[in-house]
Amino acid sequence: MWRALAFLALLALAAFGAVWIADRPGTVTVVWNGYQIGTSLAVALVGVIAAAIVLGLLWAIVRGVIGLPEALVRGSAERRRAKGFSALSRGMVAVGSGDPLAARRYAGDAERLLGPEPLTLLLKAQAAQISGDRDAAESAFQRMVDDPETRVLGLRGLFVEARRREDETAARAYAVEAARLAPSVTWANEAMLEAQSADGDWGSALETIERRSSLGLIDKPTARRQRAVLLTAIAGEREAGEPELAAERALQAVKLAPDLVPAACIAGRLLSRRGDLRKAAKVVETAWKTNPHPDLAKVYLGLRPGDSVRDRLARAETLAKLSSWDPESRLAVAQASLDAREYGRAREALKPLLADRPTVRSSLMMAAIEEAEHGAASGQAREWLSRAARAPRDPVWIADGIASDTWAPVSPVSGRLDAFAWREPPNTLAPSAPAVEQEEPEMPKPVLVPAEPTPSAPLPTIIPAASPPAGPGADAVSAGMASAAVPASGERAARRTA
């Protein structure tokens, strides 16, 4: 619409000019070389315009003839470039579809038509990777490193290849160089953090997290959590030799992540040794409210070493109230009641956990209660020990398919920070019971914990299917299990003699 209006405006302006000239007639006289030419103003204007058009056409023809060779060369280069980009595009599609032959063919065509372009080198490297030619891939990535524009991309490729051949030293060097050239590169910062965490260089790892947070590579909650994990690692290492520094780091970690169980446990122990029982109890209670854990219960019940078993039972009931009688709090109350020899109270605390499918710890706790009240030869104690062998397993620390009884700041497989999570391991189906009656219950046998589907998941680790309950009195449970098996052997021997 605007173009139509502009055209009408120009047409009106031309008509106005023609009318203005027609209303003001005049004569134009040209004298040249003794000749005199006279004409009207309108004819003179038309002649000038026609002469300009003719001169423009002549100049365009002359310019076209002069620039014809250059135009032919430029057209050939453009066609060559178009073919090169077409080969590049088809090569990327071949790489994505997993066709190594087509990828290598198109990579060669693209390199021949386009030369050492960044995308051409990348296609050549990826074609070599999917073909399994590691040397060619590294050669292509090295050529990219030599070019300042593609240096970081080439370092990324060399880093991946070094990881594939398990050369961690070279991989770390590539990551450090990439982080120096481009501080905001995510993969380089993550690789540096993993390497520093695997080496136990917690101070450098903290600096890396601070840099990543300042550059906006990770969000603030994640940065706070990772800082808390690293501070907990420092506190764990310094707990024995430098308790003051360890307590300071643990309290900093608790402030950043109040629900981090290891940090709360370390802080509670160190504050208890220092005599600050109120602060220690507050730290543990805060963590317990959001994440009830047997390690927290153990620390909380042992805050004051001189407490009687009644005092410990009262503390266990406090934890139960704080967590609205979470299963962990019931186990803590049952253990404290067992230590206080209040067997009815212990059974009452465990009763809700035994209604459906009691876990290994619940079954072992009931076996310990029966043994303490009725003796090691009690039939009910032996029955609970037998049930524990086939009971579902309790939560453990798991990272990348590895199960552990203790927490660690990094995964032993991938080196990933804050990889361990407290959760139930996969429960396999227990084998059917044999037809022959067994008077002696079998002790829990190790079972395999299958690895989670991670890219670098290791072989499954072996952990016991039944472990004694954490907290005070765990030794009594283990002793009860051992003593329950001895009388059975004695009874069989006596029957054989008879």
Side-chain angles (χ1 to χ4, degrees):
M1 180 178 178
W2 289 106
R3 291 182 179 179
L5 292 176
F7 175 76
L8 293 175
L10 291 176
L11 186 61
L13 183 62
F16 175 78
V19 172
W20 186 82
I21 292 173
D23 291 341
R24 293 169 177 78
T27 301
V28 176
T29 303
V30 177
V31 178
W32 179 69
N33 198 21
Y35 293 96
Q36 181 176 351
I37 301 173
T39 184
S40 64
L41 177 60
V43 173
L45 289 175
V46 171
V48 169
I49 295 173
I53 293 173
V54 171
L55 289 176
L57 291 174
L58 291 176
W59 172 248
I61 294 172
V62 172
R63 187 176 178 182
V65 172
I66 294 175
L68 182 60
E70 182 181 354
L72 293 175
V73 172
R74 185 169 58 251
S76 176
E78 289 179 354
R79 287 191 298 273
R80 185 183 182 87
R81 190 172 182 83
K83 291 181 180 180
F85 278 114
S86 177
L88 184 64
S89 176
R90 293 177 180 178
M92 289 295 182
V93 172
V95 169
S97 60
D99 187 351
L101 296 179
R104 297 183 70 173
R105 183 175 71 254
Y106 287 127
D109 293 343
E111 186 177 21
R112 177 175 54 82
L113 294 170
L114 297 177
E117 290 282 341
L119 287 178
T120 304
L121 293 176
L122 179 60
L123 174 60
K124 188 175 182 181
Q126 290 184 340
Q129 282 181 327
I130 66 173
S131 301
D133 191 351
R134 303 300 177 198
D135 294 336
E138 290 193 18
S139 176
F141 285 127
Q142 189 61 54
R143 290 174 62 187
M144 297 171 71
V145 171
D146 297 336
D147 188 349
E149 294 184 357
T150 59
R151 185 166 297 165
V152 176
L153 181 58
L155 290 171
R156 167 66 171 167
L158 292 175
F159 168 80
V160 172
E161 291 300 321
R163 279 284 181 89
R164 284 180 175 173
R165 65 173 184 269
E166 298 183 356
D167 187 354
E168 291 298 330
T169 302
R172 185 179 305 184
Y174 295 138
V176 170
E177 179 65 14
R180 184 185 66 83
L181 294 173
S184 60
V185 174
T186 303
W187 67 267
N189 284 275
E190 290 178 352
M192 288 181 60
L193 180 60
E194 288 182 5
Q196 292 161 351
S197 300
D199 292 342
D201 189 0
W202 312 122
S204 299
L206 280 171
E207 294 177 359
T208 301
I209 290 176
E210 293 293 341
R211 182 173 65 253
R212 295 180 67 192
S213 178
S214 62
L215 293 173
L217 301 180
I218 53 176
D219 53 18
K220 291 184 178 180
T222 303
R224 289 172 62 89
R225 175 75 182 189
Q226 291 182 348
R227 282 196 293 264
V229 170
L230 292 175
L231 291 170
T232 304
I234 296 173
E237 288 185 352
R238 306 294 180 85
E239 183 176 1
E242 301 177 71
E244 292 300 324
L245 178 61
E248 180 183 352
R249 296 293 182 267
L251 289 175
Q252 291 176 355
V254 168
K255 186 176 180 181
L256 291 171
D259 60 338
L260 186 58
V261 171
C265 290
I266 295 174
R269 286 195 298 267
L270 294 175
L271 291 174
S272 174
R273 294 175 196 171
R274 207 160 61 185
D276 195 350
L277 300 179
R278 179 175 297 180
K279 189 173 183 178
K282 183 178 180 181
V283 169
V284 177
E285 288 173 358
T286 302
W288 178 269
K289 289 178 182 178
T290 57
N291 192 6
H293 194 278
D295 292 346
L296 291 173
K298 182 178 180 180
V299 172
Y300 192 74
L301 297 184
L303 285 178
R304 186 179 298 147
D307 281 351
S308 64
V309 291
R310 300 283 181 180
D311 294 333
R312 294 162 67 87
L313 177 56
R315 286 183 176 275
E317 290 180 342
T318 301
L319 289 180
K321 294 175 182 178
L322 288 175
S323 62
S324 300
W325 289 91
D326 183 84
E328 287 296 339
S329 63
R330 290 186 176 278
L331 287 168
V333 171
Q335 181 63 61
S337 301
L338 175 61
D339 295 339
R341 298 185 178 276
E342 295 191 14
Y343 306 122
R345 202 168 183 177
R347 288 192 183 89
E348 186 66 25
L350 286 178
K351 185 176 180 180
L353 304 182
L354 307 176
D356 187 12
R357 291 184 65 197
T359 62
V360 173
R361 289 175 60 199
S362 302
S363 301
L364 291 177
M365 184 67 68
M366 280 300 299
I369 294 171
E370 295 295 339
E371 178 185 342
E373 185 175 10
H374 302 294
S378 168
Q380 298 217 355
R382 294 155 60 83
E383 178 186 352
W384 280 110
L385 285 175
S386 179
R387 293 180 66 175
R390 296 173 176 82
R393 287 167 289 175
D394 296 273
V396 292
W397 291 110
I398 298 179
D400 295 330
I402 297 296
S404 173
D405 292 332
T406 57
W407 176 86
V410 297
S411 168
V413 179
S414 62
R416 182 164 53 94
L417 186 65
D418 193 24
F420 277 95
W422 181 258
R423 63 175 184 268
E424 295 181 5
N427 285 286
T428 56
L429 294 176
S432 58
V436 181
E437 292 184 0
Q438 299 286 340
E439 293 188 6
E440 180 181 1
E442 295 181 359
M443 297 302 290
K445 297 180 180 180
V447 296
L448 291 176
V449 175
E452 295 180 350
T454 56
S456 58
L459 292 176
T461 186
I462 297 179
I463 63 169
S467 57
D475 295 337
V477 176
S478 301
M481 292 172 61
S483 60
V486 174
S489 302
E491 290 171 9
R492 288 202 306 274
R495 281 195 290 273
R496 285 197 299 269
T497 304

